[in-house]
Amino acid sequence: MTPSAIAWIWLVALALVMGALIFGAAGDLRFWQGWAFLAVFFAASALITQYLIANDPALLQRRVKGGPTEETEPAQRLIMVFMSFGFVALIVLPGLDHRFGWSQPPAIVALIGDALIAVGFFVVFLVFKANSFASSTVGVAEGQSLVSTGPYAVVRHPMYAGALIYLLGIPLALGSYWGLAAPALMTPILIWRLVDEERVLDERLPGYSDYRRKVHYRLLPGVY
């Protein structure tokens, strides 16, 4: 099976699983925030997938191999297990919030959340345009070279920065303040991942140590 077919099958399967988790937790198919979120999330995902199919199939092949079992570093396998559970909580908590009425933000909050998701995915898209080796696993591939242009000239881990933006947007898009507990817990795990990734890159990617000295911030310019 081709990487493009695998990518589309994976995307459809993910949509079905996420939809089941959201509406199962919410207990309400009229949960409009859930439908709007799924539309934004998977429209962005589909556009990026189609871009990679057309312009960078090698990167697409790297991206379809992800998750705890694909990681070669022991710490990264553990990190990805935690992140997987965190992502489930990210969409289940807002569904439960809707079911039990723990918080009731105005509709504008959901729209802001959808906008944050779109912005986060756009940042990830810029990363893919700049770096054909932006794999979903931590490591250095054969022939990989240092990238220091585009978003990498601003922060050292722009893909994680984009991910944090849409992780923050997800509970808001689903109309939940309580759901913000999930990205709050996932953020230190993501920072653990990128710090450990920098250790690997320092050891295996020529020029990375010099790059770290030139680009001071990991995620947010002027902050961290």
Side-chain angles (χ1 to χ4, degrees):
M1 190 177 295
T2 64
S4 58
I6 293 171
W8 287 121
I9 291 171
W10 182 88
L11 200 60
V12 171
L14 182 63
L16 293 174
V17 170
M18 287 176 63
L21 288 172
I22 291 168
F23 293 106
D28 181 8
L29 287 175
R30 296 170 299 175
F31 181 30
W32 70 266
Q33 293 94 332
W35 292 112
F37 157 72
L38 290 173
V40 173
F41 189 94
F42 286 101
S45 298
L47 287 171
I48 290 176
T49 298
Q50 185 55 45
Y51 170 82
L52 294 179
I53 290 171
N55 297 280
D56 199 341
L59 176 55
L60 179 67
Q61 188 166 7
R62 295 185 186 97
R63 296 300 304 174
V64 296
K65 296 179 179 179
T69 59
E70 296 293 332
E71 296 288 350
T72 58
E73 300 291 324
Q76 292 295 338
R77 286 196 290 269
L78 181 60
I79 289 166
M80 289 308 296
V81 168
F82 288 147
M83 290 297 286
S84 298
F85 282 115
F87 193 81
V88 171
L90 194 67
I91 57 177
V92 168
L93 274 176
L96 293 174
D97 190 348
H98 174 80
R99 179 189 288 255
F100 297 110
W102 297 333
S103 64
Q104 298 178 346
I108 188 64
V109 170
L111 299 179
I112 291 171
D114 288 324
L116 287 172
I117 293 168
V119 170
F121 270 106
F122 181 68
V123 173
V124 171
F125 168 71
L126 294 178
V127 171
F128 290 161
K129 285 190 68 176
N131 184 8
S132 185
F133 288 91
S135 173
S136 56
T137 59
V138 170
V140 175
E142 183 178 353
Q144 182 173 347
S145 58
L146 178 71
V147 175
S148 58
T149 57
Y152 288 92
V154 182
V155 292
R156 300 202 297 265
H157 298 276
M159 187 158 62
Y160 295 148
L164 279 177
I165 294 171
Y166 71 66
L167 289 178
L168 175 63
I170 288 173
L172 297 178
L174 291 170
S176 173
Y177 292 141
W178 282 97
L180 292 170
L185 293 173
M186 294 171 75
T187 297
I189 300 172
L190 187 143
I191 291 173
W192 177 16
R193 177 175 172 83
L194 69 84
V195 169
D196 187 67
E197 181 174 349
E198 288 195 333
R199 174 189 60 80
V200 174
L201 295 175
D202 266 336
E203 294 173 355
R204 305 178 193 174
L205 185 62
Y208 193 79
S209 297
D210 290 335
Y211 167 69
R212 285 210 307 161
R213 286 189 284 270
K214 292 176 183 176
V215 179
H216 300 290
Y217 298 103
R218 290 176 167 129
L219 286 173
L220 187 61
V223 178
Y224 178 77

